[in-house]
Amino acid sequence: MDVTTEILTAIKAYDTIIIHRHQRPDPDALGSQVGLAEILRASFPEKQIFQVGGPVEGLDFLATMDEVADEIYQGSLVIVTDTANAPRISDQRFERGAKLIKIDHHPNDDPYGDLVWVNTQASSCSEIIFDFYHEHQDELVLNDQAARLLYAGIVGDTGRFLYPATTAHTLTVAAELMTYKFNPTDLNRELEQIPMRVAKLAGYVYENIQVDANGAAKVLLPQSLLTGLGIVDSETAAIVSLPGTIDEVVAWGIFVEQPEGYYRVRLRSKGPVINELAKKHHGGGHPLASGANAKDIAEVASIYNELQQLCENFRK
């Protein structure tokens, strides 16, 4: 029995299914989580299907979360999507169910769960959820809302089909999803548009980026700047890809100071593998897109020095 059949068998066996995703959700986290929830609601209307995880941080045009009492977890099936490491799961009650399934596309460094399905070749977790539906379409129903969510997740995690993880299969899936009744143009516009305060932050990024001779770039976003612009941490995600538009930049780090004093680190690359660097600093992720944390400005400097070394070796 392959893993998708095992997952479907588990879904059939439980009357209550609770689906989680990672903290600070992006479109793929919500697309895979709630896209799967919508598929299961349409396929098994007699079951209780919940999506949990707290605030969606400006993505409520995609989906909102359910409030679930502790006792609902008793005897339930819990599924976690798009989350590589257990500490990053939003709402730590995920362990209270009777069975736990992990579905993800990040490297499987933390193989939590009773059933694990990880496909690192997939562009997004939303693509994996579509593949799950497609593999079992004789028993599962994909409705318009699920299609909209999965499409949003794929668009979000591929950078509108620009990132290397985009494959011919990714485009085939997106094309099929577009045959459902939602407006891809309007959805893309909602995903793309930013408020004026974030546009001003983008200007700051371009004005203050540091790039060395080997294309290693660094942008430091102090808390005073974010407070002055009225920007919360989740909104900084909109500017993470900007350094990649500069021809001289090979890999880059965005260092976002948090109110508590530490730095959230977003790492991206056009070639050098950066996820091992991220793991050394309390993070992880994909080879070309990872996240980490720096306890202070000294660790920020250390991470940037390591990034510079990666770019230097890449250029040799």
Side-chain angles (χ1 to χ4, degrees):
M1 184 185 299
D2 70 11
V3 67
T4 69
T5 302
E6 288 186 78
I7 291 172
L8 183 58
T9 299
I11 288 169
K12 291 178 179 177
Y14 288 85
D15 294 326
T16 301
I17 301 170
I18 305 172
I19 308 177
H20 289 243
R21 39 77 183 166
H22 61 72
Q23 301 163 359
R24 295 166 171 162
D26 55 14
D28 188 36
L30 293 175
S32 58
Q33 177 199 26
V34 189
L36 176 59
E38 292 291 350
I39 289 170
L40 298 186
R41 289 187 187 106
S43 307
F44 306 103
E46 74 283 0
K47 296 182 184 293
Q48 291 190 95
I49 314 292
F50 299 101
Q51 59 224 29
V52 302
V56 296
E57 304 192 10
L59 293 174
D60 52 351
F61 65 88
L62 288 178
T64 56
M65 298 293 104
D66 298 318
E67 295 288 336
V68 176
D70 291 351
E71 57 268 23
I72 301 286
Y73 280 84
Q74 187 69 34
S76 69
L77 172 66
V78 177
I79 303 174
V80 181
T81 69
D82 197 39
T83 311
N85 310 101
R88 285 202 69 213
I89 300 171
S90 190
D91 194 330
Q92 288 292 302
R93 294 180 297 170
F94 71 92
E95 295 181 307
R96 297 187 181 186
K99 192 180 185 84
L100 177 62
I101 297 174
K102 174 185 181 179
I103 303 176
D104 192 26
H105 70 124
H106 300 91
N108 195 27
D109 297 324
D110 181 5
Y112 62 84
D114 303 298
L115 267 176
V116 177
W117 181 21
V118 173
N119 178 7
T120 58
Q121 303 305 306
S123 71
S124 55
C125 197
S126 294
E127 183 178 309
I128 294 174
I129 298 302
F130 177 86
D131 289 341
F132 174 63
Y133 153 74
H134 194 265
E135 182 73 17
H136 301 282
Q137 58 185 309
D138 55 332
E139 298 184 78
L140 297 175
V141 176
L142 180 68
N143 59 18
D144 295 334
Q145 180 59 8
R148 175 179 179 270
L149 286 159
L150 297 181
Y151 180 83
I154 291 170
V155 167
D157 249 32
T158 60
R160 287 121 186 103
F161 310 109
L162 291 175
Y163 299 159
T166 305
T167 65
H169 178 66
T170 304
L171 297 175
T172 298
V173 170
E176 183 162 343
L177 291 170
M178 288 178 69
T179 66
Y180 287 77
K181 292 181 180 178
F182 69 94
N183 191 318
T185 301
D186 288 347
L187 180 57
N188 280 312
R189 185 178 297 114
E190 286 186 286
L191 290 168
E192 181 74 16
Q193 66 188 9
I194 57 174
M196 180 60 73
R197 60 184 178 275
V198 177
K200 291 180 178 179
L201 181 65
Y204 179 91
V205 168
Y206 284 129
E207 286 284 346
N208 292 275
I209 190 169
Q210 302 174 37
V211 188
D212 76 1
N214 294 303
K218 167 187 170 185
V219 179
L220 189 69
L221 302 180
Q223 185 60 212
S224 58
L225 169 71
L226 302 180
T227 301
L229 291 175
I231 287 175
V232 297
D233 178 79
S234 61
E235 292 178 309
T236 64
I239 56 86
V240 173
S241 63
L242 296 184
T245 64
I246 302 171
D247 58 1
E248 296 176 18
V249 172
V250 175
W252 62 98
I254 307 283
F255 300 88
V256 186
E257 186 180 13
Q258 302 297 303
E260 299 83 357
Y262 73 95
Y263 291 82
R264 185 180 182 192
V265 185
R266 291 184 168 101
L267 298 170
R268 297 293 186 269
S269 174
K270 297 177 182 176
V273 173
I274 54 175
N275 56 347
E276 291 301 322
L277 165 58
K279 288 177 194 176
K280 291 169 61 179
H281 297 275
H282 315 288
H286 300 288
L288 303 182
S290 294
N293 291 283
K295 64 181 178 181
D296 52 30
I297 198 68
E299 189 169 3
V300 167
S302 176
I303 292 172
Y304 182 52
N305 286 339
E306 293 173 63
L307 186 67
Q308 288 178 298
Q309 189 63 53
L310 287 175
C311 288
E312 183 178 351
N313 293 340
F314 183 74
R315 284 282 179 92
K316 288 180 179 177

